[in-house]
Amino acid sequence: MPSIRLNSTDGDAVDLSRLVGRAVIYAYPRKKRPDEPVPDGWLSIPGAPGCTPQSCAFRDHAAEMKAAGATCIFGLSTQDTPDQRGVVERLHLPYPLLSDDRLLLTRALSLPTFTAMGMTLLKRLTMVINDGVIEHVFYPVFPPHRNAAEVLAWLEMNNKFSAMKEDNKMPDAPKTFSTPLDLYRAISRVWSADTSSPTNAWSPSNPAQNHCSITALVVQDHFGGEILSTRTSGGTHFYNLIDGKKWDLTVSQFPEPVPYDDTPSTREAALADTSPEKYALLTSRLKENR
């Protein structure tokens, strides 16, 4: 994380790069004042509505997130601090909101934005930061009210595998990565246009896009288990089942929940969806970037 101090509704200036432990920061466009009418066209802007349900969901799950290992929770927007204080009071939020009204963090991280009413607003996303390093990003976020539950599930899953690692209860098969989350952190850095299927059907803003089959193969290489599939609007989607637990390392590519039907699949089917050349390229890059 870049070292940038952001004004907080609790009166402090917060530098996210200096936080100790795991912090959850959810970004949202803006929350209007009670005396402010809904701007013309606001409800028709994709992703714009939903700030209240999202914030209230984080409020309602805040204690559970803390129990699951989150040392702190913040909301983030480009509104100024006085407006944000009103949001905290009206919604009874148990955590502060951070203001990036000068767009310093937004520009430093190239966070996704859109323009409305002459304002630069953040698109909805959530970052998990661990000791000042971005550990996981939820993007795109849809629907907004489910985001907090998804973050909580990720925190609980991470805790489970951390505990297994500490207790030496991970399976005995040799692995380069201790958990699927460790693999995700590495593989998400080497997904690219030439490893996607079809080739070049990929975007840096959605790194998991079109990488389900090749990723399912790599997950099975390191952790065994089964490859499963389901049908989505875009075609067949591959993921993994490891010791009875479903793992989908490319679920972030979808703007809506995946309708998992857990159809058993095979390495051959997953490989046919990608290619031996792409599989070899991705595994080679993964080794180089360990």
Side-chain angles (χ1 to χ4, degrees), residues 190-212:
V190 295
W191 285 327
S192 63
D194 54 1
T195 56
S196 66
S197 297
T199 303
N200 294 324
W202 179 82
S203 167
S205 64
N206 186 3
Q209 185 179 14
N210 291 315
H211 277 84
C212 66

mmCIF file of all heavy atoms in Angstrom, residues 190-212:
data_model
loop_
_atom_site.group_PDB
_atom_site.id
_atom_site.type_symbol
_atom_site.label_atom_id
_atom_site.label_comp_id
_atom_site.label_asym_id
_atom_site.label_seq_id
_atom_site.Cartn_x
_atom_site.Cartn_y
_atom_site.Cartn_z
ATOM 1 N N VAL A 190 0.059 -13.769 -12.075
ATOM 2 C CA VAL A 190 0.595 -14.216 -13.373
ATOM 3 C C VAL A 190 -0.494 -14.539 -14.395
ATOM 4 O O VAL A 190 -0.183 -14.923 -15.520
ATOM 5 C CB VAL A 190 1.539 -15.428 -13.203
ATOM 6 C CG1 VAL A 190 2.766 -15.032 -12.414
ATOM 7 C CG2 VAL A 190 0.831 -16.598 -12.531
ATOM 8 N N TRP A 191 -1.772 -14.416 -14.009
ATOM 9 C CA TRP A 191 -2.822 -14.506 -15.020
ATOM 10 C C TRP A 191 -2.613 -13.390 -16.040
ATOM 11 O O TRP A 191 -2.245 -12.258 -15.689
ATOM 12 C CB TRP A 191 -4.192 -14.328 -14.378
ATOM 13 C CG TRP A 191 -4.696 -15.497 -13.605
ATOM 14 C CD1 TRP A 191 -4.485 -16.816 -13.850
ATOM 15 C CD2 TRP A 191 -5.535 -15.437 -12.430
ATOM 16 N NE1 TRP A 191 -5.132 -17.589 -12.915
ATOM 17 C CE2 TRP A 191 -5.783 -16.770 -12.042
ATOM 18 C CE3 TRP A 191 -6.088 -14.408 -11.691
ATOM 19 C CZ2 TRP A 191 -6.568 -17.081 -10.936
ATOM 20 C CZ3 TRP A 191 -6.872 -14.705 -10.592
ATOM 21 C CH2 TRP A 191 -7.110 -16.022 -10.223
ATOM 22 N N SER A 192 -2.860 -13.666 -17.299
ATOM 23 C CA SER A 192 -2.628 -12.655 -18.325
ATOM 24 C C SER A 192 -3.448 -12.974 -19.569
ATOM 25 O O SER A 192 -4.126 -14.010 -19.646
ATOM 26 C CB SER A 192 -1.141 -12.586 -18.688
ATOM 27 O OG SER A 192 -0.716 -13.818 -19.245
ATOM 28 N N ALA A 193 -3.340 -12.087 -20.549
ATOM 29 C CA ALA A 193 -4.110 -12.260 -21.782
ATOM 30 C C ALA A 193 -3.719 -13.534 -22.522
ATOM 31 O O ALA A 193 -4.572 -14.195 -23.134
ATOM 32 C CB ALA A 193 -3.914 -11.043 -22.683
ATOM 33 N N ASP A 194 -2.424 -13.907 -22.473
ATOM 34 C CA ASP A 194 -1.999 -15.084 -23.235
ATOM 35 C C ASP A 194 -2.183 -16.395 -22.476
ATOM 36 O O ASP A 194 -1.857 -17.458 -23.007
ATOM 37 C CB ASP A 194 -0.548 -14.930 -23.725
ATOM 38 C CG ASP A 194 0.427 -14.620 -22.617
ATOM 39 O OD1 ASP A 194 -0.016 -14.545 -21.443
ATOM 40 O OD2 ASP A 194 1.615 -14.435 -22.904
ATOM 41 N N THR A 195 -2.714 -16.338 -21.251
ATOM 42 C CA THR A 195 -3.073 -17.578 -20.561
ATOM 43 C C THR A 195 -4.589 -17.706 -20.400
ATOM 44 O O THR A 195 -5.070 -18.687 -19.831
ATOM 45 C CB THR A 195 -2.393 -17.671 -19.181
ATOM 46 O OG1 THR A 195 -2.734 -16.523 -18.393
ATOM 47 C CG2 THR A 195 -0.883 -17.762 -19.326
ATOM 48 N N SER A 196 -5.339 -16.708 -20.875
ATOM 49 C CA SER A 196 -6.793 -16.776 -20.785
ATOM 50 C C SER A 196 -7.349 -17.633 -21.920
ATOM 51 O O SER A 196 -6.686 -17.869 -22.928
ATOM 52 C CB SER A 196 -7.401 -15.368 -20.870
ATOM 53 O OG SER A 196 -7.175 -14.796 -22.147
ATOM 54 N N SER A 197 -8.567 -18.104 -21.732
ATOM 55 C CA SER A 197 -9.229 -18.903 -22.766
ATOM 56 C C SER A 197 -10.619 -18.333 -23.025
ATOM 57 O O SER A 197 -11.471 -18.403 -22.139
ATOM 58 C CB SER A 197 -9.339 -20.363 -22.334
ATOM 59 O OG SER A 197 -8.063 -20.935 -22.176
ATOM 60 N N PRO A 198 -10.860 -17.744 -24.196
ATOM 61 C CA PRO A 198 -9.950 -17.628 -25.339
ATOM 62 C C PRO A 198 -8.843 -16.603 -25.116
ATOM 63 O O PRO A 198 -8.956 -15.745 -24.259
ATOM 64 C CB PRO A 198 -10.885 -17.183 -26.481
ATOM 65 C CG PRO A 198 -12.006 -16.492 -25.786
ATOM 66 C CD PRO A 198 -12.203 -17.217 -24.493
ATOM 67 N N THR A 199 -7.788 -16.712 -25.906
ATOM 68 C CA THR A 199 -6.645 -15.818 -25.796
ATOM 69 C C THR A 199 -7.084 -14.366 -25.956
ATOM 70 O O THR A 199 -7.904 -14.050 -26.811
ATOM 71 C CB THR A 199 -5.598 -16.158 -26.872
ATOM 72 O OG1 THR A 199 -5.219 -17.528 -26.725
ATOM 73 C CG2 THR A 199 -4.366 -15.279 -26.730
ATOM 74 N N ASN A 200 -6.520 -13.528 -25.085
ATOM 75 C CA ASN A 200 -6.769 -12.078 -25.086
ATOM 76 C C ASN A 200 -8.153 -11.691 -24.595
ATOM 77 O O ASN A 200 -8.492 -10.501 -24.615
ATOM 78 C CB ASN A 200 -6.518 -11.459 -26.473
ATOM 79 C CG ASN A 200 -5.058 -11.528 -26.876
ATOM 80 O OD1 ASN A 200 -4.172 -11.387 -26.037
ATOM 81 N ND2 ASN A 200 -4.799 -11.756 -28.158
ATOM 82 N N ALA A 201 -8.948 -12.656 -24.150
ATOM 83 C CA ALA A 201 -10.252 -12.327 -23.563
ATOM 84 C C ALA A 201 -10.047 -12.090 -22.072
ATOM 85 O O ALA A 201 -10.456 -12.884 -21.226
ATOM 86 C CB ALA A 201 -11.243 -13.459 -23.817
ATOM 87 N N TRP A 202 -9.391 -11.006 -21.769
ATOM 88 C CA TRP A 202 -8.895 -10.764 -20.400
ATOM 89 C C TRP A 202 -8.704 -9.269 -20.205
ATOM 90 O O TRP A 202 -8.480 -8.522 -21.167
ATOM 91 C CB TRP A 202 -7.567 -11.494 -20.227
ATOM 92 C CG TRP A 202 -6.907 -11.323 -18.888
ATOM 93 C CD1 TRP A 202 -7.196 -12.007 -17.741
ATOM 94 C CD2 TRP A 202 -5.841 -10.436 -18.559
ATOM 95 N NE1 TRP A 202 -6.380 -11.597 -16.718
ATOM 96 C CE2 TRP A 202 -5.534 -10.625 -17.197
ATOM 97 C CE3 TRP A 202 -5.121 -9.486 -19.284
ATOM 98 C CZ2 TRP A 202 -4.534 -9.904 -16.538
ATOM 99 C CZ3 TRP A 202 -4.127 -8.769 -18.645
ATOM 100 C CH2 TRP A 202 -3.837 -8.982 -17.288
ATOM 101 N N SER A 203 -8.798 -8.835 -18.955
ATOM 102 C CA SER A 203 -8.579 -7.424 -18.630
ATOM 103 C C SER A 203 -7.825 -7.325 -17.312
ATOM 104 O O SER A 203 -8.118 -8.082 -16.373
ATOM 105 C CB SER A 203 -9.916 -6.698 -18.513
ATOM 106 O OG SER A 203 -9.745 -5.428 -17.927
ATOM 107 N N PRO A 204 -6.870 -6.407 -17.182
ATOM 108 C CA PRO A 204 -6.155 -6.236 -15.907
ATOM 109 C C PRO A 204 -7.079 -5.874 -14.750
ATOM 110 O O PRO A 204 -6.775 -6.170 -13.598
ATOM 111 C CB PRO A 204 -5.170 -5.099 -16.207
ATOM 112 C CG PRO A 204 -5.000 -5.102 -17.684
ATOM 113 C CD PRO A 204 -6.324 -5.527 -18.237
ATOM 114 N N SER A 205 -8.207 -5.245 -15.063
ATOM 115 C CA SER A 205 -9.155 -4.887 -14.001
ATOM 116 C C SER A 205 -9.978 -6.076 -13.528
ATOM 117 O O SER A 205 -10.656 -6.003 -12.502
ATOM 118 C CB SER A 205 -10.089 -3.782 -14.492
ATOM 119 O OG SER A 205 -10.881 -4.235 -15.575
ATOM 120 N N ASN A 206 -9.926 -7.182 -14.278
ATOM 121 C CA ASN A 206 -10.625 -8.415 -13.904
ATOM 122 C C ASN A 206 -9.670 -9.586 -14.161
ATOM 123 O O ASN A 206 -9.847 -10.347 -15.101
ATOM 124 C CB ASN A 206 -11.914 -8.569 -14.720
ATOM 125 C CG ASN A 206 -12.761 -9.745 -14.270
ATOM 126 O OD1 ASN A 206 -12.428 -10.430 -13.307
ATOM 127 N ND2 ASN A 206 -13.866 -9.982 -14.976
ATOM 128 N N PRO A 207 -8.618 -9.725 -13.341
ATOM 129 C CA PRO A 207 -7.535 -10.671 -13.651
ATOM 130 C C PRO A 207 -7.946 -12.127 -13.711
ATOM 131 O O PRO A 207 -7.296 -12.927 -14.384
ATOM 132 C CB PRO A 207 -6.525 -10.423 -12.532
ATOM 133 C CG PRO A 207 -7.292 -9.757 -11.439
ATOM 134 C CD PRO A 207 -8.360 -8.953 -12.116
ATOM 135 N N ALA A 208 -9.003 -12.514 -13.012
ATOM 136 C CA ALA A 208 -9.430 -13.921 -13.031
ATOM 137 C C ALA A 208 -10.218 -14.277 -14.285
ATOM 138 O O ALA A 208 -10.491 -15.459 -14.530
ATOM 139 C CB ALA A 208 -10.273 -14.231 -11.796
ATOM 140 N N GLN A 209 -10.553 -13.288 -15.080
ATOM 141 C CA GLN A 209 -11.416 -13.495 -16.252
ATOM 142 C C GLN A 209 -10.890 -14.579 -17.178
ATOM 143 O O GLN A 209 -9.736 -14.565 -17.592
ATOM 144 C CB GLN A 209 -11.546 -12.170 -17.007
ATOM 145 C CG GLN A 209 -12.508 -12.199 -18.172
ATOM 146 C CD GLN A 209 -12.595 -10.838 -18.847
ATOM 147 O OE1 GLN A 209 -11.780 -9.960 -18.615
ATOM 148 N NE2 GLN A 209 -13.605 -10.661 -19.680
ATOM 149 N N ASN A 210 -11.752 -15.556 -17.472
ATOM 150 C CA ASN A 210 -11.457 -16.635 -18.422
ATOM 151 C C ASN A 210 -10.215 -17.455 -18.045
ATOM 152 O O ASN A 210 -9.457 -17.887 -18.920
ATOM 153 C CB ASN A 210 -11.314 -16.060 -19.840
ATOM 154 C CG ASN A 210 -12.634 -15.562 -20.393
ATOM 155 O OD1 ASN A 210 -13.653 -16.234 -20.286
ATOM 156 N ND2 ASN A 210 -12.631 -14.368 -20.945
ATOM 157 N N HIS A 211 -10.040 -17.682 -16.747
ATOM 158 C CA HIS A 211 -8.928 -18.507 -16.273
ATOM 159 C C HIS A 211 -9.396 -19.670 -15.388
ATOM 160 O O HIS A 211 -8.598 -20.243 -14.646
ATOM 161 C CB HIS A 211 -7.928 -17.654 -15.474
ATOM 162 C CG HIS A 211 -6.951 -16.912 -16.328
ATOM 163 N ND1 HIS A 211 -7.236 -15.699 -16.896
ATOM 164 C CD2 HIS A 211 -5.692 -17.226 -16.728
ATOM 165 C CE1 HIS A 211 -6.194 -15.284 -17.594
ATOM 166 N NE2 HIS A 211 -5.248 -16.190 -17.516
ATOM 167 N N CYS A 212 -10.666 -20.034 -15.490
ATOM 168 C CA CYS A 212 -11.171 -21.045 -14.562
ATOM 169 C C CYS A 212 -10.589 -22.432 -14.824
ATOM 170 O O CYS A 212 -10.158 -23.122 -13.890
ATOM 171 C CB CYS A 212 -12.694 -21.079 -14.579
ATOM 172 S SG CYS A 212 -13.422 -21.623 -16.145
#
